[in-house]
Amino acid sequence: AQKVTQAQTEISVVEKEDVTLDCVYETRDTTYYLFWYKQPPSGELVFLIRRNSFDEQNEISGRYSWNFQKSTSSFNFTITASQVVDSAVYFCALSEASTGYALNFGKGTSLLVTP
Amino acid sequence: DADVTQTPRNRITKTGKRIMLECSQTKGHDRMYWYRQDPGLGLRLIYYSFDVKDINKGEISDGYSVSRQAQAKFSLSLESAIPNQTALYFCATSPSGTHNEQFFGPGTRLTVL
């Protein structure tokens, strides 16, 4: 069963629009971590954020912000004032002790930002 | 220099051939992982290793084997490659401890004809 669901396969926005990428996860662990990675067209994986299950504070880093809600098992990612360079595939991932802290990835959301 | 390197970066091979993908790291991390990425499927775990003597199967280990030759090296082998193993393969490392960030190599694009 898919433990991390990214329901949006592809999103297309015009530059300067705000966009939210959804992530819903499933786990029985009480302690777990959630991650977001970015994969630009060049193919490498770029770490964006790590959040533990006990910290529900929202986080903001420049134009990026993350909203973690345990009640709905969601860890959504918002890009404010999107730019063309934000075009990439974004992956949400779950880390659990039961799988050796390996990352269980969602299928990714492909974001296209057009001028 | 890159902290996590993968060789080769691209490889085309034929069905039935044995092939090895290599991963090296200079980060001093104990944990190493192999994932494969298929279009629309995200990344899936093949094998992981907590140290030289500790190797574990991941979600999709069938058809693959691994070797942890040293703390810094973790190789992935396809004993008899088949076309559905065509994918992008990533190696990753992380320090010991819980739930640490993983650092990924640049990936190896493998095509099996």
Side-chain angles (χ1 to χ4, degrees):
Chain A
Q2 189 75 23
K3 288 196 169 189
V4 178
T5 301
Q6 295 180 255
Q8 305 147 308
T9 304
E10 294 180 354
I11 300 176
S12 182
V13 299
V14 177
E15 207 169 20
K16 298 184 183 178
E17 289 184 2
D18 298 347
V19 59
T20 295
L21 310 182
D22 297 333
C23 173
V24 174
Y25 63 92
E26 177 184 334
T27 180
R28 294 182 179 178
D29 288 10
T30 54
T31 302
Y32 54 90
Y33 276 65
L34 295 161
F35 297 76
W36 277 94
Y37 280 82
K38 173 182 179 180
Q39 187 177 42
S42 52
E44 74 272 24
L45 285 159
V46 179
F47 167 78
L48 295 178
I49 190 172
R50 177 185 67 170
R51 175 52 53 87
N52 76 60
S53 52
F54 297 106
D55 182 2
E56 289 193 70
Q57 280 193 339
N58 290 337
E59 180 153 345
I60 298 174
S61 177
R63 296 185 297 106
Y64 295 170
S65 62
W66 290 268
N67 180 266
F68 177 32
Q69 293 194 337
K70 286 181 75 170
S71 61
T72 56
S73 297
S74 65
F75 186 44
N76 297 336
F77 172 33
T78 297
I79 302 174
T80 302
S82 60
Q83 300 176 0
V84 172
V85 294
D86 295 327
S87 296
V89 180
Y90 292 86
F91 292 99
C92 179
L94 168 70
S95 170
E96 302 168 289
S98 57
T99 55
Y101 311 107
L103 295 176
N104 196 322
F105 284 86
K107 295 182 178 182
T109 296
S110 178
L111 174 65
L112 177 64
V113 182
T114 56
Chain B
D1 288 342
D3 296 320
V4 184
T5 57
Q6 292 184 234
T7 55
R9 294 292 313 278
N10 289 281
R11 180 73 182 268
I12 300 174
T13 191
K14 295 183 178 180
T15 297
K17 293 290 187 181
R18 183 180 189 276
I19 185 168
M20 179 181 289
L21 309 183
E22 299 187 348
C23 176
S24 295
Q25 52 114 347
T26 59
K27 300 187 77 67
H29 291 166
D30 288 326
R31 296 179 181 174
M32 298 187 74
Y33 305 81
W34 275 104
Y35 296 87
R36 68 175 274 176
Q37 182 180 13
D38 298 277
L41 293 181
L43 281 78
R44 293 179 292 167
L45 181 67
I46 306 173
Y47 271 94
Y48 63 100
S49 170
F50 277 7
D51 63 38
V52 175
K53 296 180 180 179
D54 183 2
I55 294 178
N56 304 277
K57 293 182 177 181
E59 177 189 355
I60 54 165
S61 60
D62 288 349
Y64 302 95
S65 63
V66 291
S67 173
R68 185 83 183 266
Q69 302 96 320
Q71 186 205 37
K73 296 185 183 295
F74 192 36
S75 300
L76 176 71
S77 294
L78 287 68
E79 296 301 326
S80 180
I82 56 176
N84 76 1
Q85 290 177 313
T86 294
L88 183 57
Y89 290 84
F90 285 100
C91 173
T93 74
S94 71
S96 296
T98 62
H99 306 286
N100 289 307
E101 172 195 348
Q102 292 188 14
F103 298 83
F104 285 82
T108 294
R109 187 166 297 281
L110 176 66
T111 302
V112 183
L113 301 177

